[in-house]
C-alpha cells in the first residue's frame, strides 16, 4: 500500500469513527418522547382461526405494529400470519406474543448505526441491520424464540427470487432459517445485496407482492384480516425516471427483474383495486390508516414515526370489536 493510500485509509477510518461517535451521542437525545407509554406485556394463548396479512413499507411498518399490539391487547391472536418486508419484520413479535416489542425496538434504534446507517450497511450490505435486529445485542426485551417456534401458529415471510422473479413463501418450520428468510423479505432492491438461501438469491418481497392478501385467498382461508400501511385512497405513481438507468445498470443481467421493478407502481395499484373488490364482497377485512400517512421509508422525524405507531394502536382498538365479530370471537 502506497503512502497516499495509507493516508486516505487513515482519514476514512477516522471519519467513520467520528461519525459513529457523533451518532452514539445523538441517539441519547433522539429517542421517541413517548417511549415509556408504549404498552407491554404478553399476549394470551388463545388462538383464533384465520390469516393475518400485513403490507410492508419500511418505517411505515410502525403503523402495522400498532395495529398488531391492539390486536394482542384485545385477545385477537390469529393462527396464521403472512408479511412482506416490514410486514414480515413486524410479525415475529406478534407470533411470539410480545406486546410493544416491535415499536420499542424501532423507536429506540432509529438513530442507532448498528440498525440503520453506516455500521448496519458495513455488517449487512443493507441499510437495515438485520443481524443486530435479530440478536440479543438489541436494547429491548429478549425475543421469545421458543414461543415463536411453537407449532400451533404459522408464520410466512414473502421474498422475491431474483432469477424467476416470482414470490417465494417461506414458512417457519419448513425452512432451515426463517430469520434469513425474513431478512430476504425486507432486503431493499438497488441499495442492498441479495440474500442467498439454498443457492438462490432473493430480494424484498415487495418486488412482486406488496399486500400479501392473495396467498391466503388462494389457500382458501375462510377469514382473512389485511393490515395496510397506506390510507385507502393512496395510489403509487411511476418510479422516478432517473432511477430506471440505475436499476438497468445494477441488474443488467436480469431484465425480467428490471421490468418487475419498473412495473411496481402499476402492480401495487392493481393489488389495491383487487383488495378493495374483495373487501366489498366481504371476503376480507381490511384495516388501513385513518389519516394521511406522510412517514417515508427512512423517516428521520422520530416523533412522526411514534405518532404513526399510535395511529395504528388507536385504529386497531377502534376496530377491535368489528374484527372480533368478523372472526367470530365471542
Amino acid at each position: 500500500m502506497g503512502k497516499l493510500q495509507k493516508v486516505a485509509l487513515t482519514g476514512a477510518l477516522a471519519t467513520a469513527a467520528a461519525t459513529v461517535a457523533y451518532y452514539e451521542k445523538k441517539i441519547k437525545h433522539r429517542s421517541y418522547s413517548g417511549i415509556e407509554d408504549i404498552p407491554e406485556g404478553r399476549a394470551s394463548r388463545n388462538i383464533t382461526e384465520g390469516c393475518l396479512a400485513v403490507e410492508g413499507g419500511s418505517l411505515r411498518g410502525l403503523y402495522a405494529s400498532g395495529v398488531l399490539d391492539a390486536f394482542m391487547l384485545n385477545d385477537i391472536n390469529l393462527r396464521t400470519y403472512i408479511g412482506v418486508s416490514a410486514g414480515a419484520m413486524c410479525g415475529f413479535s406478534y407470533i411470539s406474543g410480545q406486546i410493544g416489542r416491535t415499536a420499542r425496538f424501532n423507536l429506540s434504534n432509529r438513530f442507532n448505526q448498528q440498525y440503520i446507517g453506516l455500521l448496519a450497511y458495513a455488517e449487512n450490505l443493507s441499510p437495515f441491520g438485520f443481524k443486530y435486529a435479530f440478536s440479543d445485542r438489541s436494547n429491548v426485551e429478549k425475543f421469545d424464540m421458543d414461543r415463536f417456534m411453537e407449532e400451533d401458529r404459522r408464520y410466512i415471510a414473502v421474498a422475491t427470487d431474483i432469477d424467476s422473479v416470482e414470490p417465494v413463501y417461506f414458512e417457519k418450520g419448513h425452512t432451515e432459517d426463517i430469520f434469513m428468510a425474513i431478512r430476504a423479505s425486507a432486503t431493499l432492491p438497488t441499495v442492498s445485496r441479495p440474500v442467498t438461501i439454498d443457492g438462490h438469491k432473493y430480494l424484498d418481497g415487495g418486488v412482486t407482492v406488496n399486500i400479501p392478501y392473495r396467498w391466503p385467498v388462494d389457500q382458501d382461508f375462510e377469514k382473512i384480516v389485511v393490515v395496510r400501511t397506506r390510507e385507502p385512497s393512496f395510489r403509487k405513481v411511476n418510479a422516478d425516471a432517473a432511477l430506471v438507468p440505475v436499476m438497468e445498470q445494477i441488474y443488467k443481467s436480469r431484465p425480467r427483474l428490471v421490468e418487475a421493478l419498473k412495473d411496481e407502481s402499476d402492480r401495487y395499484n392493481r393489488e389495491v383495486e383487487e383488495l378493495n373488490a374483495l373487501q366489498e364482497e366481504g371476503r376480507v377485512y381490511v384495516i388501513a390508516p385513518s389519516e394521511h400517512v406522510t412517514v417515508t421509508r427512512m423517516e428521520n422525524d422520530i416523533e412522526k414515526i411514534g405518532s404513526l405507531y399510535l395511529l395504528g394502536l388507536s385504529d386497531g382498538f377502534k376496530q377491535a370489536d368489528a374484527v372480533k365479530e368478523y372472526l367470530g370471537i365471542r
Side-chain angles (χ1 to χ4, degrees), residues 202-275:
Y202 299 93
L203 282 173
D204 198 300
V207 174
T208 49
V209 174
N210 285 101
I211 313 170
Y213 62 86
R214 176 48 56 187
W215 182 85
V217 169
D218 291 343
Q219 294 289 315
D220 294 323
F221 278 86
E222 182 179 348
K223 299 295 183 179
I224 303 167
V225 178
V226 179
V227 178
R228 297 192 55 198
T229 54
R230 291 285 200 177
E231 64 272 21
S233 62
F234 176 80
R235 299 294 184 276
K236 286 191 175 182
V237 297
N238 290 331
D240 188 340
L243 294 177
V244 173
V246 177
M247 296 175 188
E248 292 176 335
Q249 179 61 34
I250 293 174
Y251 303 119
K252 58 185 177 182
S253 64
R254 293 184 169 86
R256 291 179 59 196
L257 178 59
V258 174
E259 290 306 309
L261 289 169
K262 290 195 289 187
D263 184 54
E264 198 264 345
S265 294
D266 289 340
R267 177 176 45 76
Y268 179 89
N269 295 338
R270 292 193 298 269
E271 287 183 10
V272 171
E273 294 306 321
E274 182 179 21
L275 181 62

Side-chain angles (χ1 to χ4, degrees), residues 61-75:
L62 267 291
Y63 175 83
S65 71
V67 175
L68 299 185
D69 284 348
F71 277 11
M72 288 189 282
L73 289 164
N74 281 277
D75 213 17

Side-chain angles (χ1 to χ4, degrees), residues 34-251:
I35 196 80
E36 299 298 328
D37 298 326
I38 295 173
E40 55 186 309
R42 304 304 296 267
S44 79
R45 294 279 182 173
N46 298 326
I47 298 174
T48 299
E49 298 301 329
C51 183
L52 179 57
V54 181
E55 181 180 359
S58 295
L59 289 174
R60 288 191 293 273
L62 267 291
Y63 175 83
S65 71
V67 175
L68 299 185
D69 284 348
F71 277 11
M72 288 189 282
L73 289 164
N74 281 277
D75 213 17
I76 303 173
N77 308 302
L78 282 93
R79 186 178 299 281
T80 302
Y81 183 101
I82 181 169
V84 171
S85 194
M89 294 288 288
C90 290
F92 60 85
S93 289
Y94 177 71
I95 295 298
S96 69
Q98 292 174 273
I99 298 167
R101 184 180 183 279
T102 299
R104 271 189 296 279
F105 177 82
N106 281 276
L107 292 168
S108 297
N109 287 286
R110 171 59 187 90
F111 300 104
N112 183 343
Q113 290 284 300
Q114 295 179 87
Y115 180 49
I116 301 177
L118 294 174
L119 291 181
Y121 199 90
E123 188 174 13
N124 300 264
L125 295 177
S126 168
F128 288 94
F130 299 105
K131 292 181 181 179
Y132 176 74
F134 298 150
S135 75
D136 290 339
R137 290 183 288 152
S138 62
N139 55 4
V140 295
E141 64 266 38
K142 184 178 179 180
F143 177 63
D144 190 342
M145 179 67 77
D146 291 338
R147 184 166 176 179
F148 174 77
M149 293 303 297
E150 289 175 0
E151 296 180 357
D152 58 353
R153 297 180 77 182
R154 299 176 67 188
Y155 171 92
I156 297 96
V158 188
T160 298
D161 185 312
I162 66 173
D163 291 313
S164 67
V165 196
E166 295 290 339
V168 178
Y169 301 90
F170 291 97
E171 182 169 356
K172 78 175 174 76
H174 297 273
T175 188
E176 184 175 348
D177 188 343
I178 188 61
F179 288 93
M180 186 61 75
I182 296 171
R183 175 176 175 172
S185 179
T187 294
L188 299 176
T190 71
V191 295
S192 307
R193 175 180 289 182
V195 173
T196 300
I197 301 174
D198 295 331
H200 295 270
K201 294 183 183 297
Y202 299 93
L203 282 173
D204 198 300
V207 174
T208 49
V209 174
N210 285 101
I211 313 170
Y213 62 86
R214 176 48 56 187
W215 182 85
V217 169
D218 291 343
Q219 294 289 315
D220 294 323
F221 278 86
E222 182 179 348
K223 299 295 183 179
I224 303 167
V225 178
V226 179
V227 178
R228 297 192 55 198
T229 54
R230 291 285 200 177
E231 64 272 21
S233 62
F234 176 80
R235 299 294 184 276
K236 286 191 175 182
V237 297
N238 290 331
D240 188 340
L243 294 177
V244 173
V246 177
M247 296 175 188
E248 292 176 335
Q249 179 61 34
I250 293 174
Y251 303 119

